[in-house]
Amino acid sequence: MSNSTKPHPSEALFGGEKPFPLIPACEHFAGSEKLILKALGLQDTIGQVFDITCDCEDGAASGQERDHAEMIVRVLNSEANKYHMAGARIHDYTHPAWKQDIDILVGGAGNVLSYITIPKCTDISQAEEMIAYIQKVAASHGISRVIPVHILIETHGALNQVHEIAKLPWLQVLDFGLMDFVSAHHGAIPASAMRSPGQFDHRLLARAKTEVVSAALANGVVPAHNVTLDLKNVETTFNDASRARNEFGFMRMWSIYPTQIQAIVDAMKPNYDEVADAANILLAAQAADWGPIQYAGELHDRATYRYFWEILQKAKLTNVAISEEANLAFFN
C-alpha cells in the first residue's frame, strides 16, 4: 500500500479531538502603514515563519482610530498580504473605539484577518463581551469562518481568571503582557524585571508566566511570550526566547524589531536531530498502520506518535529540513 492510501497522522492519531493550533512561533508587531508593509515584504525574504500583528491600540494616534483601522483593512486586502498571515490588535474594553475597530476590521477584512488580539481585560466578562461582538459582526457580514482570538494577560484580574479565560470560544492564543503586568504592581516589582534575567527569575513574574502557560496548554491554546526590550541585540532576543520556550513552555513570542524575528524562530524551532527521528518514527508507524513499533531500541505507539507528529509540523512551520520521503508522505 502506498503512503498516499495509508491514514494520515492527523486522521489516525487524534480521533475527533480539538487539534492544537499550529501557528508560527513568532508574532511581529507593526503599527504604521510603512512598518506593516515592510513586515509583509519580510515574509517573502525571511519566509512565512512569522505572523504580523497590525496594531490599532498603540499604532493609532488619538483621534485617528477610524483612519488607522481602515488603513489596516486596505493593506490586508491588498496584494501585499499575499500569505494572509496578519492579524490586528484592537483597543481595550475601556477605550471608546473598540467596537469601531471590530466593525471596521471584521466588516472589511474578516475573510483574511488571521486573528484579533484583545488587550488589558481586567475581568472575564469583558473578554466574553468582546468575543461575542466579534462573532456578531462576523455573522452580520456573512463571515462563516472562526476568526481566532488572542487575549493578553497583563492585569491582576486577567491572571486571577486565566484558567477560565482560556476556555473562551474562538480562543487561539494567550499572550503574556510583561510591561503592563509589572506596572500594575505599583513598584513592588523593580523596572529591572522588565529585562532579563529578572523577567524570568522574579518570583511574581515566574508565577504569572507559569500560570499563563499552564492555562493555555490545558485548554489547547498557544501560550505566547512577551517582547524583548533590547531591540538590536540578537543574542539577547535568542536567549530570552530560549528561556521562554525551554524553561516555561511558551510556544510563541512577540517581536517588535525586524532583526528579532529570526532569533525568535531559531530559538523556538525543534532540534534537527529530533525532527529526523520524528520523520523516521512516523514513517515506520504509518507503514505499520499506526500500531506499535520499535525504533532505536525503544517502543513507540500512538502516545509518542502524537508528540512526534506535532514536532514534524512545527519543523515545517520553522523551516527545519525534513526528509523528502516524510515530506511526500505527510505534507504533499
Side-chain angles (χ1 to χ4, degrees), residues 37 40 43 52 75-86 112-114:
L37 289 170
L40 289 168
Q43 289 179 332
I52 299 162
V75 171
L76 295 190
N77 284 322
S78 74
E79 292 182 359
N81 185 27
K82 64 178 72 173
Y83 303 110
H84 293 172
M85 294 175 64
V112 297
L113 197 63
S114 292

Side-chain angles (χ1 to χ4, degrees), residues 102 113 157 200 207 304 332:
I102 294 170
L113 197 63
F200 297 110
R207 168 195 167 249
T304 55
N332 189 22

Side-chain angles (χ1 to χ4, degrees), residues 57 89 117-124 127 149-168 171 173-185 204-205 207-216 221-227 250 254:
E57 186 189 25
R89 177 167 69 173
T117 298
I118 297 173
K120 295 184 179 63
C121 289
T122 58
D123 189 86
I124 190 172
V149 171
H150 299 186
I151 294 181
L152 267 156
I153 305 300
E154 52 188 342
T155 67
H156 293 291
L159 183 64
N160 287 340
Q161 298 175 303
V162 68
H163 289 272
E164 294 305 311
I165 290 171
K167 298 175 184 177
L168 291 174
L171 192 65
V173 171
L174 281 181
D175 300 295
F176 183 63
L178 175 68
M179 313 310 166
D180 279 289
F181 190 73
V182 170
S183 297
H185 281 74
L204 285 172
L205 297 180
R207 168 195 167 249
K209 292 185 181 191
T210 302
E211 285 295 314
V212 170
V213 173
S214 174
V221 172
V222 175
H225 192 258
N226 54 268
V227 300
F250 284 97
W254 288 12

Side-chain angles (χ1 to χ4, degrees), residues 232-252:
K232 299 184 180 181
N233 189 327
V234 174
E235 185 177 353
T236 300
T237 302
F238 180 87
N239 289 338
D240 284 353
S242 294
R243 291 197 68 179
R245 177 70 185 88
N246 297 316
E247 296 179 30
F248 288 85
F250 284 97
M251 305 178 80
R252 182 170 164 106

Side-chain angles (χ1 to χ4, degrees), residues 43 58 61 92 98 119 137 150 171 230 290 314 325:
Q43 289 179 332
D58 293 335
D92 73 272
W98 75 263
V137 174
H150 299 186
L171 192 65
D230 190 339
W290 304 104
K314 289 167 190 170
E325 186 180 4

